[in-house]
């Protein structure tokens, strides 16, 4: 009796019609109906304000006077004035340094370090330190700003502690304003990154690190070649979230320095607020907000492209 073997399916062969139909059925309009409420909320609370800001940036709308009630269309005059303003390049540079120092480096590196140390340390120490770190995150931003101001002012807690060991501290908010707000925002936002990374580290299979230990890999080697590559998707996602959140920080900076001394801590949100509400030029403030939105889009695009290249986003 002769047995006939079925031919092995050719991977290059076209997909059967029935299979294609089933796969395509997953993307039917009916399956998208539950997304409509979320899409509507995005249009109302995201696209709507952006459209209003773009429209306002093309007018001479002011906070008071005739332009407050009857603004005139002036085209791109606000943007021409903005790009000719010498304060704009400084504000963009300060914003990038602030975001890089307090979000990309500060919150993410410190948050990852704390997550690794908490995983390796005792439960009591991890719980105590974790509670202290999380307390800074749950504080309202205005409260955290006043605490930071009291800590870093000329006669604040930090200089008082330094005087006990014979060191005269500077006026941090005047001499090093950008460093002061970077430290304050790092202190306030590190808890978020710490919790994200703790959850990611808990998902790393323990047998993988145990196998590496058996093979003789040290702590740094396991972290660099095993743990970090396995949580790279979480790292990029957290970088995106902390970057966008830090890009819009206003209250912390305004309470601590008000953008001063001079313009040495005037980030884009502070500049937009000052022009729109301190000087009453709403149209010009909207133009600054559009530049800030573009900067956030650049950061987001860079992270998304990097994540796609690493295979963490499809």
């Amino acid at each position: 009796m002769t047995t006939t073997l079925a031919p092995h399916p050719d991977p290059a062969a076209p997909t059967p019609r029935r299979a294609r139909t089933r796969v395509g059925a997953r993307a039917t309009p009916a399956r998208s109906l539950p997304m409509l409420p979320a899409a509507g909320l995005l249009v109302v609370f995201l696209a709507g304000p952006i459209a209003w800001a773009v429209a306002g940036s093309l007018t001479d709308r002011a906070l008071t006077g005739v332009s407050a009630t009857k603004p005139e269309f002036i085209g791109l005059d606000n943007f021409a004035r903005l790009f000719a303003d010498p304060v704009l390049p400084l504000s963009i540079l300060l914003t990038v340094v602030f975001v890089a120092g307090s979000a990309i480096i500060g919150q993410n590196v410190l948050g990852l370090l704390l997550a690794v140390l908490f995983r390796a340390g005792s439960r009591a120490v991890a719980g105590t330190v974790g509670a202290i770190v999380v307390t800074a995150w749950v504080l309202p931003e205005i409260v955290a700003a006043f605490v930071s101001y009291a800590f870093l002012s000329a006669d604040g807690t930090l200089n008082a502690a330094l005087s006990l060991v014979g060191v005269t501290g500077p006026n941090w908010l005047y001499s090093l304003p950008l460093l002061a707000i970077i430290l304050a925002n790092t202190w306030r936002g590190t808890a978020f990154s710490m919790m994200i990374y703790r959850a990611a580290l808990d998902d790393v299979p323990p047998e993988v690190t145990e196998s590496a230990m058996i093979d003789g890999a040290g702590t740094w080697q396991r972290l660099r070649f095993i743990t970090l590559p396995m949580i790279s998707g979480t790292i990029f996602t957290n970088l995106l979230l902390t970057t966008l959140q830090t890009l819009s920080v206003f209250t912390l900076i305004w309470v601590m320095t008000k953008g001063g001394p001079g313009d040495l801590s005037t980030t884009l949100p502070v500049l937009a607020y000052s022009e729109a509400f301190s000087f009453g030029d709403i149209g010009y403030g909207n133009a600054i907000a559009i530049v800030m939105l573009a900067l956030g889009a650049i950061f987001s695009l860079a992270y998304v492209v990097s994540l796609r290249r690493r295979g963490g986003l499809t």
Side-chain angles (χ1 to χ4, degrees):
M1 184 179 203
T2 304
T3 303
T4 303
L5 298 177
H8 188 73
D10 185 3
T15 306
R17 181 179 182 85
R18 180 176 298 178
R20 289 202 303 267
T21 303
R22 288 178 180 176
V23 173
R26 298 176 184 175
T28 57
R31 292 178 178 268
S32 302
L33 288 178
M35 297 297 295
L36 290 180
L41 290 175
L42 285 175
V43 170
V44 173
F45 295 105
L46 183 61
I50 291 175
W52 187 91
V54 172
S57 67
L58 304 177
T59 67
D60 64 346
R61 182 181 295 275
L63 198 60
T64 59
V66 178
S67 296
T69 55
K70 296 181 179 180
E72 296 183 359
F73 178 79
I74 60 174
L76 299 176
D77 288 356
N78 283 326
F79 291 96
R81 173 186 163 195
L82 176 61
F83 290 119
D85 191 343
V87 178
L88 178 64
L90 177 61
S91 293
I92 294 177
L93 176 61
L94 291 173
T95 303
V96 172
V97 173
F98 175 65
V99 170
S102 64
I104 298 176
I105 298 176
Q107 295 179 25
N108 277 273
V109 173
L110 185 57
L112 179 60
L113 179 62
L114 288 174
V116 172
L117 293 176
F118 288 168
R119 193 184 187 194
S122 65
R123 182 174 299 180
V125 174
T128 303
V129 178
I132 295 174
V133 175
V134 171
T135 299
W137 184 55
V138 299
L139 286 176
E141 188 175 1
I142 184 68
V143 177
F146 278 115
V147 171
S148 301
Y149 178 85
F151 183 76
L152 294 169
S153 60
D155 54 351
T157 307
L158 179 58
N159 283 346
L162 292 175
S163 65
L164 296 177
V165 295
V167 177
T168 302
N171 186 345
W172 301 92
L173 300 177
Y174 184 83
S175 302
L176 301 166
L178 187 59
L179 177 61
I181 60 177
I182 286 175
L183 292 175
N185 194 60
T186 300
W187 164 72
R188 183 174 184 269
T190 296
F192 177 80
S193 297
M194 181 193 70
M195 291 187 293
I196 293 294
Y197 290 137
R198 285 191 67 178
L201 291 175
D202 288 339
D203 289 337
V204 175
E207 57 270 16
V208 176
T209 55
E210 291 172 0
S211 299
M213 291 177 63
I214 295 174
D215 291 338
T219 303
W220 168 246
Q221 292 175 320
R222 295 197 304 272
L223 178 64
R224 179 182 177 184
F225 296 108
I226 297 177
T227 304
L228 292 182
M230 294 188 71
I231 65 170
S232 60
T234 301
I235 293 175
F236 276 92
T237 301
N238 191 63
L239 280 170
L240 175 61
L241 294 175
T242 54
T243 296
L244 296 181
Q245 189 277 331
T246 302
L247 187 64
S248 61
V249 169
F250 166 76
T251 305
L252 189 75
I253 303 173
W254 188 258
V255 170
M256 293 181 66
T257 65
K258 285 192 175 180
D263 297 316
L264 294 181
S265 61
T266 302
T267 58
L268 286 175
V270 175
L271 181 63
Y273 178 87
S274 298
E275 294 293 341
F277 298 103
S278 297
F279 301 108
D281 198 340
I282 301 295
Y284 191 59
N286 279 331
I288 300 172
I290 298 303
V291 172
M292 185 172 65
L293 184 65
L295 186 61
I298 292 173
F299 275 114
S300 302
L301 182 62
Y303 287 135
V304 170
V305 170
S306 299
L307 197 58
R308 282 184 182 275
R309 288 179 178 177
R310 288 177 173 267
L313 187 64
T314 58

